[in-house]
């Protein structure tokens, strides 16, 4: 994620990529997708990531 990206735009781009991967036979579960999203967030959103991880509510 680039620092100028909006979270919504980034999530949309990530969903499009995972859809393409699934069409090509890749199996991606929601937990893996969420982990990728949280790991790749820019430092600007670090406090949001920590709050989500600490709550352990990844839904």
């Amino acid at each position: 994620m680039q620092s100028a990206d909006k979270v919504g735009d980034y999530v949309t781009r990530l969903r499009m990529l995972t859809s393409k991967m699934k069409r090509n036979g890749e199996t991606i579960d929601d937990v893996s997708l969420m982990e990728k999203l949280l790991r790749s967030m820019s430092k600007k959103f670090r406090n949001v990531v920590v709050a989500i991880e600490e709550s352990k509510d990844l839904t």
Side-chain angles (χ1 to χ4, degrees):
M1 177 175 193
Q2 302 296 320
S3 61
D5 286 346
K6 292 182 182 177
V7 175
D9 295 340
Y10 182 68
V11 170
T12 301
R13 206 166 60 235
L14 187 61
R15 283 186 177 174
M16 287 190 309
L17 287 171
T18 54
S19 293
K20 289 178 183 179
M21 292 171 70
K22 286 180 180 180
R23 277 185 270 156
N24 288 316
E26 186 74 31
T27 55
I28 302 170
D29 59 353
D30 290 336
V31 173
S32 297
L33 183 60
M34 183 59 68
E35 288 172 348
K36 172 65 176 165
L37 175 67
L38 292 175
R39 277 194 316 265
S40 60
M41 297 293 284
S42 67
K43 292 180 191 232
K44 178 170 122 178
F45 298 103
R46 178 57 51 195
N47 59 339
V48 176
V49 171
V50 169
I52 292 170
E53 290 175 341
E54 289 298 317
S55 73
K56 298 188 187 323
D57 181 18
L58 299 179
T59 58

